[in-house]
Amino acid sequence: MGSGIAAHLANIGIPTLLLDIVPRELSEDEKKKGLTLENKQVRNRISQTAKLKLLKQKPAPLTAKKNLALIEAGNLEDDWERLKDIDWVIEVVVENLEVKKNVFSKVDQYRKPGSIISSNTSGISIEAMAEGRSEDFQKNFLGTHFFNPPRYLKLLEVIPTQFTDPEVLSFMKQFGEDILGKGVVEAKDTPNFIANRIGTYGLLVTVREMLEGGYSVGEVDSVTGPMIGRPKSATFRTLDVVGLDTFSHVAKNVYDQVDGAEKEVFQLPDFMKKMLDQGWLGSKSGQGFFLKKGKEILELNPETLEYEERKKLKTASTELSKQAKGVPAKMKALVYSEDRAGQLLWNVLKPVLLYSAELLGDIADDILAIDQAMKWGFGWSMGPFETWDAIGLEKSVARMEKEGHTVPQWIKDMADKGFTSFYKQEAGETSYYSNGEYKEITENPKVINLKKIKQQNGVIKKNSGASLIDIGDGIALLEFTSPNNAIGLDIIQMINYAVDEVEANYKGLVIGNQGKNFCVGANIAMMLMEAQDDNIFELDMVISQFQKAMLKIKYSAKPVVAAPFNMALGGGAEVCLPAAHIQASTETYMGLVEVGVGLIPGGGGTKELYYKHLKSMPQGVEFDLQKVANKVFEAVAMAKVSTSGDEARENNFLSFADGISVNPDHLLYDAKQAALSLYEAGYTAPARVKIPVVGETGYAALLLGAESMRLTGFISDHDMCIAKKLAYVLAGGKVPYGTEVDEQYLLDLEKEAFLSLIALPKSQQRMQHMLLKGKPLRN
């Protein structure tokens, strides 16, 4: 976990010193090299090993391998003096109070006054750790509980002690959000704080209900995932990913510190203890609640501890929920049904809702903090109190009391005052219930909420695929709203309208949204249907329109800023490449992936990526044009996708001047500021230039590598067919090496190649397979 936090800091650009204990004996490799325990290489071995492991871990802790250079390895004997230069010391040692206190006594001795000290513990009292430390240490000390893996999980719980300086607390909350990119929640110093306390309780309640209700592991997971707004890993797959050893440790933290009925819940069932004894920890040990045998995934039978065929719970209510729109409607359809799925979910949700309400004031001051912690730490789409609103507060409370449960008095008092929900919306503003009144949710000024803006101001124009919105300060935003934000004629029409409207009445345009992904590409279903009907003329028109829209973005008189996040694939990448500026999220997975569906980019993607590579070359310095073409050919032919915003920059999808936002909630704000800056700097559209290509000789060179891959069986004959089309486009056709051609010439080549490929049965098979299976077909 310590190296994971170090990696997150390095990803942001913060130099980090990673310290660990000094080895007590030499490794075999060190003995062979003739090293001794006094060698620095040996003394730093543990932290150096942890550092190097970051390059191999999955999911990758680093957004780019180069970030590793910002982490320096040291040890906890030789490097104490270096703390005088450190601004923030984070303790991530073993979960033992005495060990932690010993470390902090050393830190207190060597740290510089005013430096911030924090613990990443998930279960030991923050207050107890601060005992006996200097006054300056105590006022600058607090808990900062990152969720694992730190790069990907949004939640950061900040836990002050009675001595923590309010200014230090305020600074760390702001720093956590603005610089670390986290969703920060202030928690109280109680066992497991907020998210792990409720999350662990909820998982154990679900296990108990499975055993008492006679459900199987697979049946529980089939209804406790996306169906109720939880991650796909649901219950038991989550436990396998976390690791049963880690989970049992977190559960024991609470078990050791609470009493009565609550203590009973945190007691692991016998079958889970047997799993621990046998080392069935989950993914890390190769088996847990699930076991993969070949292509089949088996589920554990908790009674026999044998693996069986995975089952799913299919009832009338699960089928009905599929027709409901949105998680609240799905949940309501499920929890009030009397079938097995309804009974399971009611018996799982009910105790979690009551438990969350009982803990209000003990683990956090308000319901908002609890809901945010569960959404950001466990990936729930709705927190406990939002869930309660979704199923109906009055109706659910009445049923709970009818079943003999005690509802916390503060909820009864709330109902007596006429409050019928925990949250309410008025004029686009959301408020939450707190101590007898509704309090408006105050957000960071860097958070742009498109839903709220549309509710308050409406939209400039919209159609079935996109909306144009005024986001203030003279900046308009084009939001894709089609299913999966897939690009069709509706979005193309709105791009044209948006650029015209912005050129006439605004300072700049941002292309962005707040969906699941920025854009997964073109509307494959529409294109396949037209291709199967031999409507090549219709497809020709669509591709021409898309190309013209991309040129409109590129040559707009006002700056256009693209704000990609998560998946920006195929057509999604093509929308970004011609923009005046790209403001990407740290988690941006960008690539031209059309080869996966038997095609090549048709909207100018190949041309634009090639031109971006050329522009990245140093001015006035000769370079090998063929090497540039080779690099772009490889990126498109292999359908390479960046694993981060940093890697998108390394792959030249982003230029050096483009930006990367660490906090995804601030992405649109950052993009808006970029558009304003360009406008205020006197932005002018780029001049149209001719592009040098490698021509016929370059075409032959590009195909040489592809042919060797075909001969060795690495790619199929159809892959080779696609590679030839791509190489011809990238080379600029049958022209001499170094010929300068205009953009439209390259676009015509792209379109011609695209249309010839989409007419082929094997390409259509790939498209159909992607639509049905969600993954590429290698035919």
Side-chain angles (χ1 to χ4, degrees):
M1 188 64 183
S3 60
I5 295 171
H8 184 67
L9 296 172
N11 290 336
I12 297 161
I14 299 174
T16 305
L17 177 62
L18 183 64
L19 305 181
D20 211 317
I21 59 173
V22 174
R24 295 290 170 249
E25 56 185 37
L26 294 170
S27 67
E28 289 303 315
D29 187 51
E30 288 164 345
K31 289 176 184 175
K32 286 176 186 175
K33 290 178 180 177
L35 299 175
T36 72
L37 288 172
E38 297 309 310
N39 286 103
K40 187 175 181 182
Q41 181 181 338
V42 175
R43 294 176 73 77
N44 291 348
R45 185 222 306 156
I46 295 176
S47 55
Q48 181 67 17
T49 301
K51 173 184 168 179
L52 293 177
K53 278 183 178 177
L54 294 171
L55 295 171
K56 298 178 181 178
Q57 286 176 20
K58 290 189 177 182
L62 295 165
T63 57
K65 290 180 181 179
K66 64 179 175 59
N67 297 342
L68 196 69
L70 286 170
I71 303 173
E72 184 184 352
N75 68 74
L76 287 169
E77 288 183 16
D78 304 330
D79 295 304
W80 288 116
E81 288 280 356
R82 299 188 62 185
L83 294 192
K84 69 180 188 300
D85 301 317
I86 302 294
D87 297 313
W88 178 20
V89 179
I90 312 171
E91 169 273 311
V92 202
V93 303
V94 65
E95 291 288 83
N96 178 294
L97 179 59
E98 288 311 308
V99 173
K100 288 179 185 292
K101 290 186 80 167
N102 286 337
V103 168
F104 284 131
S105 70
K106 282 281 195 180
V107 171
D108 201 1
Q109 183 181 342
Y110 289 99
R111 63 181 282 271
K112 66 178 178 182
S115 61
I116 293 172
I117 316 297
S118 69
S119 172
N120 187 64
T121 183
S122 61
I124 295 176
S125 169
I126 306 295
E127 203 86 38
M129 290 183 214
E131 288 175 4
R133 301 278 59 82
S134 67
E135 184 181 342
D136 187 75
F137 180 106
Q138 289 185 334
K139 79 175 198 177
N140 287 285
F141 178 69
L142 70 170
T144 51
H145 182 213
F146 289 83
F147 269 59
N148 199 19
R151 170 183 165 184
Y152 300 96
L153 287 186
K154 185 175 179 177
L155 180 62
L156 173 63
E157 291 175 321
V158 175
I159 311 100
T161 72
Q162 60 177 316
F163 305 111
T164 306
D165 187 327
E167 286 188 13
V168 170
L169 174 62
S170 177
F171 168 79
M172 284 306 293
K173 288 163 78 172
Q174 194 74 33
F175 180 81
E177 187 173 348
D178 289 350
I179 307 301
L180 302 181
K182 295 297 180 184
V184 182
V185 168
E186 184 179 338
K188 292 181 179 289
D189 189 12
T190 54
N192 286 3
F193 312 126
I194 302 174
N196 274 344
R197 180 80 169 267
I198 293 173
T200 305
Y201 180 90
L203 287 166
L204 285 167
V205 160
T206 306
V207 173
R208 184 180 67 188
E209 183 57 30
M210 174 190 74
L211 297 173
E212 291 179 359
Y215 299 92
S216 82
V217 163
E219 284 179 328
V220 171
D221 267 16
S222 68
V223 295
T224 56
M227 200 174 284
I228 60 168
R230 305 282 172 84
K232 286 182 181 178
S233 53
T235 300
F236 293 103
R237 180 70 187 125
T238 294
L239 287 170
D240 273 354
V241 171
V242 169
L244 191 54
D245 52 345
T246 303
F247 177 76
S248 65
H249 174 75
V250 173
K252 191 174 184 301
N253 279 340
V254 184
Y255 178 83
D256 289 342
Q257 298 180 65
V258 296
D259 299 303
E262 184 181 6
K263 191 180 189 77
E264 207 176 296
V265 173
F266 285 92
Q267 171 79 44
L268 285 191
D270 288 339
F271 87 95
M272 288 172 74
K273 291 177 183 175
K274 289 176 183 175
M275 288 174 68
L276 278 170
D277 292 340
Q278 295 181 87
W280 296 358
L281 308 178
S283 302
K284 66 177 80 172
S285 64
Q287 69 185 97
F289 293 99
F290 294 100
L291 172 67
K292 190 171 184 181
K293 273 199 172 181
K295 291 187 177 180
E296 189 180 11
I297 297 175
L298 305 174
E299 64 174 49
L300 183 73
N301 182 321
E303 291 184 5
T304 65
L305 289 186
E306 300 286 335
Y307 287 95
E308 303 172 351
E309 185 180 337
R310 188 165 52 163
K311 305 172 190 69
K312 286 187 177 181
L313 193 56
K314 191 174 180 180
T315 67
S317 66
T318 61
E319 294 306 298
L320 184 64
S321 74
K322 291 176 184 176
Q323 312 304 318
K325 286 190 176 181
V327 173
K330 289 179 186 292
M331 199 172 278
K332 196 175 284 188
L334 286 161
V335 297
Y336 291 120
S337 71
E338 295 299 323
D339 60 27
R340 289 188 76 230
Q343 289 171 358
L344 169 65
L345 289 174
W346 173 254
N347 289 336
V348 163
L349 284 173
K350 172 180 61 181
V352 173
L353 300 182
L354 289 169
Y355 188 63
S356 302
E358 288 161 4
L359 289 176
L360 182 66
D362 290 335
I363 62 173
D365 285 328
D366 54 61
I367 64 170
L368 182 65
I370 293 175
D371 278 349
Q372 288 176 331
M374 297 316 300
K375 290 190 289 185
W376 296 340
F378 276 73
W380 295 7
S381 66
M382 297 186 297
F385 298 98
E386 290 171 317
T387 298
W388 218 328
D389 277 353
I391 65 173
L393 180 60
E394 291 176 292
K395 184 177 180 180
S396 58
V397 165
R399 180 175 173 181
M400 289 171 185
E401 291 186 323
K402 186 179 178 182
E403 292 175 358
H405 299 284
T406 302
V407 176
Q409 187 60 45
W410 70 267
I411 293 181
K412 293 183 179 182
D413 294 341
M414 175 181 162
D416 291 342
K417 291 171 183 171
F419 297 104
T420 57
S421 65
F422 293 109
Y423 293 89
K424 73 167 185 175
Q425 281 198 331
E426 282 183 354
E429 298 290 347
T430 304
S431 303
Y432 64 95
Y433 179 80
S434 179
N435 297 321
E437 60 180 356
Y438 283 113
K439 286 186 177 178
E440 192 175 305
I441 296 175
T442 54
E443 289 182 322
N444 189 311
K446 293 182 180 179
V447 174
I448 291 177
N449 187 320
L450 294 183
K451 185 177 179 182
K452 186 199 296 188
I453 289 173
K454 287 189 286 187
Q455 285 176 338
Q456 293 174 339
N457 304 334
V459 298
I460 301 167
K461 187 174 182 176
K462 68 176 181 178
N463 64 18
S464 58
S467 299
L468 186 62
I469 308 159
D470 186 334
I471 58 172
D473 299 318
I475 302 297
L477 179 136
L478 180 62
E479 175 194 32
F480 296 169
T481 56
S482 63
N484 295 318
N485 293 341
I487 297 170
L489 279 171
D490 45 8
I491 284 180
I492 294 170
Q493 288 167 359
M494 281 299 293
I495 289 172
N496 289 322
Y497 174 83
V499 174
D500 288 340
E501 176 67 16
V502 166
E503 285 185 328
N505 300 307
Y506 289 85
K507 296 177 180 178
L509 174 69
V510 171
I511 301 177
N513 62 77
Q514 291 174 330
K516 184 179 178 183
N517 296 294
F518 175 75
C519 175
V520 296
N523 188 331
I524 300 175
M526 179 272 289
M527 291 194 301
L528 177 60
M529 189 169 59
E530 297 290 356
Q532 288 175 334
D533 290 342
D534 289 327
N535 285 338
I536 301 301
F537 177 80
E538 184 77 18
L539 284 167
D540 187 312
M541 184 272 291
V542 172
I543 298 302
S544 295
Q545 290 295 320
F546 187 35
Q547 290 181 348
K548 286 175 183 175
M550 297 305 96
L551 290 177
K552 205 169 181 74
I553 288 172
K554 183 172 184 176
Y555 295 110
S556 167
K558 300 286 178 65
V560 177
V561 176
F565 62 96
N566 293 350
M567 286 194 280
L569 305 176
E574 288 183 298
V575 167
C576 297
L577 288 169
H581 181 89
I582 300 175
Q583 185 68 37
S585 170
T586 293
E587 301 307 323
T588 297
Y589 316 123
M590 186 179 284
L592 297 168
V593 296
E594 286 83 353
V595 168
V597 288
L599 305 170
I600 71 162
T606 305
K607 175 264 298 181
E608 207 61 53
L609 183 60
Y610 176 63
Y611 185 54
K612 272 218 165 194
H613 274 73
L614 291 178
K615 286 198 298 180
S616 71
M617 295 293 119
Q619 291 293 313
V621 177
E622 282 192 28
F623 60 89
D624 189 338
L625 197 60
Q626 186 67 54
K627 285 185 177 178
V628 175
N630 291 350
K631 196 170 182 182
V632 176
F633 178 76
E634 184 183 336
V636 181
M638 303 298 288
K640 287 187 174 181
V641 177
S642 71
T643 59
S644 66
D646 274 342
E647 196 172 281
R649 178 173 279 145
E650 289 178 353
N651 295 345
N652 275 110
F653 280 93
L654 270 62
S655 69
F656 180 76
D658 290 328
I660 298 175
S661 297
V662 178
N663 192 324
D665 292 341
H666 300 175
L667 176 61
L668 294 183
Y669 172 87
D670 293 341
K672 176 183 173 182
Q673 297 310 306
L676 283 169
S677 295
L678 286 169
Y679 174 82
E680 287 160 7
Y683 179 81
T684 56
R688 295 177 185 258
V689 297
K690 291 199 170 185
I691 302 169
V693 293
V694 292
E696 285 187 282
T697 56
Y699 171 67
L702 289 171
L703 286 186
L704 195 61
E707 182 63 25
S708 66
M709 291 171 76
R710 185 186 71 81
L711 291 172
T712 55
F714 190 78
I715 64 173
S716 69
D717 288 343
H718 191 54
D719 290 323
M720 190 65 198
C721 172
I722 299 166
K724 285 180 179 178
K725 297 285 185 183
L726 174 63
Y728 191 78
V729 171
L730 194 51
K734 295 181 178 180
V735 297
Y737 181 94
T739 300
E740 293 188 345
V741 300
D742 61 37
E743 281 184 288
Q744 192 56 54
Y745 171 77
L746 290 175
L747 287 172
D748 289 342
L749 290 181
E750 265 194 42
K751 181 172 67 171
E752 185 182 331
F754 183 93
L755 293 174
S756 65
L757 285 169
I758 202 170
L760 298 176
K762 285 195 173 182
S763 285
Q764 292 177 16
Q765 287 168 14
R766 289 191 178 193
M767 295 170 74
Q768 193 155 0
H769 191 270
M770 179 63 76
L771 288 168
L772 293 173
K773 305 287 186 179
K775 55 186 178 183
L777 170 69
R778 299 303 299 273
N779 58 351

